[in-house]
Amino acid sequence: MATGRTISASFLTEFDKKIIRLCETISNTIHDSIPEDQKKKEFENEYGKISYTRDAGMGRGGGKLQRDAICTRGRQGKAPYSNRNLRWHPLIVAENKPSFAKEIEKIEIEGEGESQLLIFVVKDLNKSEIRYAADKVHEMKERYVALPKHWVSHVDKLKHWNDNLWTQNSCAIPALEACNWEDSVETYAILGISLAVELYEADFNRLYNKDRINFTKSGY
């Protein structure tokens, strides 16, 4: 089964970086509202740390807020699931096509032996085919879904894939864990504020009245 990090875990689009940077700003704002230095440090280490990666970093690179709010759960198994990935990641897998994603055209497998990569083929507005290898699907411009029918022709080959092959193709997230970036950031902020107020005596009034993140002026 897939056991390593998500493929291309350290590669972020400029959009991904922008959203993670926004979460970092929220984390810093919450941190500053906590009254005692020791409590500030505990919040940062346990919840508020940020890792500029798709999977919240190795070990405890990112805090619990990043791992739970803006990343999917860690997944392993004989499937192309990412072992954590950003919840707004553009490639999802599902049993049925959801309304918020376009259906891919087909899946291909490129390479031989230990160098095999899944290729996801989509069509642009001009009906021209665009091919995204597993290590490049994060660059998709829209959200796409791969359905069971797209895998059928490859079952005989995929059932013989070993751990390494599944790990180097861990590139999609389940539809049930996907959301848009706004929902992910809102979850990050609400969880962070709630935890800081409840566990670390953060000043809620300061957060609400003085240090609110004004999304309408932040350019997002």
Side-chain angles (χ1 to χ4, degrees), residues 94-144:
E95 287 288 332
N96 300 293
K97 180 185 177 301
S99 60
F100 58 85
K102 292 184 176 181
E103 188 176 320
I104 67 168
E105 292 296 317
K106 59 184 175 181
I107 293 172
E108 299 174 353
I109 298 177
E110 187 177 83
E112 298 293 336
E114 295 295 304
S115 300
Q116 295 177 75
L117 278 180
L118 294 170
I119 308 293
F120 298 85
V121 182
V122 303
K123 285 189 176 179
D124 63 16
L125 293 176
N126 297 318
K127 305 300 182 182
S128 299
E129 287 191 350
I130 305 175
R131 303 170 80 251
Y132 291 94
D135 59 348
K136 297 292 184 182
V137 295
H138 61 278
E139 297 178 355
M140 286 177 165
K141 306 303 181 185
E142 300 177 80
R143 177 159 273 166
Y144 287 92

Side-chain angles (χ1 to χ4, degrees), residues 21-191:
R21 193 176 300 119
L22 175 58
C23 289
E24 186 172 34
T25 299
I26 294 170
S27 179
N28 290 339
T29 299
I30 296 170
H31 172 276
D32 292 344
S33 73
I34 297 172
E36 299 176 16
D37 288 344
Q38 183 58 35
K39 291 177 180 178
K40 288 178 188 285
K41 185 175 181 180
E42 289 177 9
F43 171 80
E44 181 180 1
N45 289 338
E46 191 71 18
Y47 296 101
K49 287 191 299 184
I50 286 290
S51 172
Y52 278 82
T53 57
R54 311 193 68 77
D55 62 353
M58 298 181 68
R60 298 181 65 185
K64 287 184 178 179
L65 288 176
Q66 179 170 3
R67 297 200 302 273
D68 293 343
I70 66 176
C71 291
T72 60
R73 291 175 295 170
R75 300 290 291 266
Q76 296 180 348
K78 290 189 174 182
Y81 295 128
S82 295
N83 189 13
R84 293 196 184 277
N85 207 329
L86 298 172
R87 290 187 183 271
W88 58 88
H89 183 64
L91 180 64
I92 64 174
V93 289
E95 287 288 332
N96 300 293
K97 180 185 177 301
S99 60
F100 58 85
K102 292 184 176 181
E103 188 176 320
I104 67 168
E105 292 296 317
K106 59 184 175 181
I107 293 172
E108 299 174 353
I109 298 177
E110 187 177 83
E112 298 293 336
E114 295 295 304
S115 300
Q116 295 177 75
L117 278 180
L118 294 170
I119 308 293
F120 298 85
V121 182
V122 303
K123 285 189 176 179
D124 63 16
L125 293 176
N126 297 318
K127 305 300 182 182
S128 299
E129 287 191 350
I130 305 175
R131 303 170 80 251
Y132 291 94
D135 59 348
K136 297 292 184 182
V137 295
H138 61 278
E139 297 178 355
M140 286 177 165
K141 306 303 181 185
E142 300 177 80
R143 177 159 273 166
Y144 287 92
V145 58
L147 301 171
K149 66 181 182 181
H150 297 118
W151 301 95
V152 171
S153 62
H154 303 295
V155 168
D156 287 342
K157 178 176 286 191
L158 294 175
K159 68 183 180 182
H160 296 296
W161 274 19
N162 59 26
D163 294 0
N164 290 336
L165 284 170
W166 283 115
T167 296
Q168 69 191 33
N169 284 280
S170 55
C171 63
I173 64 173
L176 287 175
E177 296 189 50
C179 67
N180 59 39
W181 71 267
E182 295 97 333
D183 289 337
S184 191
V185 171
E186 183 177 355
T187 301
Y188 187 100
I190 291 172
L191 285 176

